[in-house]
């Protein structure tokens, strides 16, 4: 990795390179180097080319977004900017792999599970500040870094192919989950038929993609900008409900404990809609809970498809990991169905 670091710094004195294992997609490292007698930290990241087939599109999108945000004098968060190489390029191509360098945002934390309302409020507020700063970005200028990313009807077809081609042992253990997704898949059609505006959306608003200040517990920085693309606000809201409100981590096998936690939902709504409600259309506001159901079900289907395809997409730690994730998401979906009227009731006041 020395070779890559040398393209960003002249004769760098590398003190450490440690792997940060949180995400499912990229290889992320914390780089520590000595600069002018001080220890400086950076994020060095290899873009996953199985997932992002055209990494230059990712680089272009993230640059365009951060340049736009840089024009906002009152942006309250750190603006994540990709750092240039010595040749003033924004990536290093090494043995066919694309690497980028980002500033390491100090004194922040990420969570894989929300523990309290304060965290939920802060994280939702962070994503809403990011979304708000991009409301006037020309949507058509962004590339689709993953085509059909939240196109659930397309993903449903892929899922049906995966079911058709899966080996019988995997299909058998996944029988209940497969049937459940087939039964509920009308949700995808329902969302598809809504008349929603295309906006610049993050598309991966999971709880560990927002850095929270370790001392003040205020939002510090929205990260993981690879999937910033034209999309629906409902998807971002839905992914927050999916990852913030679950009483368990997304890969917990303790399905009986999986639950959509109402107090966390309420804090999330306050954090997200406080900044954004006045910019949203009536259609968007009316269908926020559908957004949650849509994204939770889509995620269950994505994990299950990957299980049926022998785990080609998400990093897994054991053979049934993706199946467990899918069942966990199904349990969460069921919990949302049970509490749907209370959720809608709470949203009515915004
Ligand atoms: P992935 O696409 O694999 O999810 P992320 O960009 O989300 O990769 O990074 C993985 C983890 O690394 C994050 O959840 C966060 O904990 C940490 N991280 C990423 N970028 C930064 C940063 N700029 N400053 C501090 N920590 C970071
Ligand atoms: C991936 O990169 P990460 O871990 O933040 C995935 C999301 C899924 C999520 C499920 C590019 O997010 O879409 O919702 O895992 N990212 C991509 O945990 O597919
Ligand atoms: Mg991430």
């Amino acid at each position: 990795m020395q070779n890559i670091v040398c393209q960003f710094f002249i004769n760098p004195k590398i003190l450490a390179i440690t792997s940060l294992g949180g995400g499912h997609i990229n290889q992320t490292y914390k780089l520590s180097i000595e600069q002018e007698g001080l220890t400086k930290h950076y994020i060095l990241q290899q873009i996953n080319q199985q997932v992002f087939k055209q990494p230059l599109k990712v680089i272009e999108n993230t640059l365009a977004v951060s340049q736009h945000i840089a024009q906002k004098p009152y942006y309250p968060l750190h603006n994540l900017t990709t750092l240039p190489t010595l040749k003033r390029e924004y990536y290093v191509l090494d043995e066919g792999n694309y690497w980028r360098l980002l500033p390491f945002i100090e004194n922040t934390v990420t969570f894989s599970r929300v523990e309290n309302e304060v965290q939920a409020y802060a994280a939702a507020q962070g994503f809403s500040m990011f979304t708000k700063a991009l409301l006037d970005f020309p949507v058509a200028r962004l590339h689709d870094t993953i085509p059909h990313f939240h196109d659930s009807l397309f993903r449903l077809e892929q899922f049906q192919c995966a079911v058709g081609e899966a080996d019988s042992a995997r299909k058998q253990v996944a029988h209940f989950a497969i049937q459940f997704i087939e039964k509920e898949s009308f949700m995808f059609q329902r969302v598809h038929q809504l008349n929603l505006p295309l906006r610049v959306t993050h598309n991966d608003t999971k709880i560990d993609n927002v850095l929270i200040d370790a001392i003040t517990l205020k939002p510090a920085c929205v990260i993981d900008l690879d999937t910033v693309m034209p999309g629906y606000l409902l998807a971002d809201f839905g992914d927050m409900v999916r990852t913030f409100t679950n009483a368990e981590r997304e890969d917990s096998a303790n399905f009986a404990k999986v639950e959509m936690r109402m107090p966390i939902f309420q804090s999330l709504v306050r954090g997200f809609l406080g900044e954004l409600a006045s910019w949203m259309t009536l259609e968007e506001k009316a269908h926020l809970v559908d957004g949650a159901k849509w994204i939770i079900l889509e995620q269950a289907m994505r994990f299950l498809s990957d299980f049926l395809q022998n785990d080609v997409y998400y990093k897994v730690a054991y053979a049934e990991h993706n199946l467990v994730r899918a069942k966990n998401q199904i349990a969460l979906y069921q919990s949302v169905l049970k509490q749907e009227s209370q959720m809608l009731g709470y949203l009515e006041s915004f």
Side-chain angles (χ1 to χ4, degrees), residues 24-25 149 204 206 209 224 242 250 299 302 313-314:
H24 288 334
I25 303 295
F149 191 60
D204 196 0
K206 61 192 262 194
N209 284 333
D224 207 346
R242 181 182 85 74
E250 75 177 5
Q299 190 64 60
R302 290 176 63 191
Y313 192 92
Y314 294 106

Side-chain angles (χ1 to χ4, degrees), residues 20-29 42-43 45 52 80 100 102-106 108-111 204 206-211 221 223-226 315:
L20 297 179
H24 288 334
I25 303 295
N26 295 313
Q27 296 292 347
T28 307
Y29 300 89
Y42 295 87
I43 290 281
Q45 213 171 31
F52 299 101
L80 194 70
R100 68 175 159 215
L102 302 164
F104 182 87
I105 313 294
E106 302 282 353
T108 62
V109 283
T110 47
F111 310 104
D204 196 0
K206 61 192 262 194
I207 183 64
D208 49 10
N209 284 333
V210 54
L211 306 177
C221 184
I223 59 164
D224 207 346
L225 307 184
D226 303 338
K315 292 179 200 161

Side-chain angles (χ1 to χ4, degrees), residues 7 12 30 49 61 112 130 156 177 179 215 258:
Q7 306 210 34
K30 180 178 180 182
Q49 284 183 79
N61 273 10
S112 57
F130 178 82
L156 180 62
Q179 295 230 308
I215 312 270
V258 169

Side-chain angles (χ1 to χ4, degrees), residues 163-175 178 307-308 310:
V163 173
E165 288 164 13
D167 76 57
S168 57
R170 286 204 170 210
K171 207 148 72 181
Q172 208 174 348
V173 285
H175 180 71
I178 295 171
F307 176 72
L308 295 169
N310 302 323

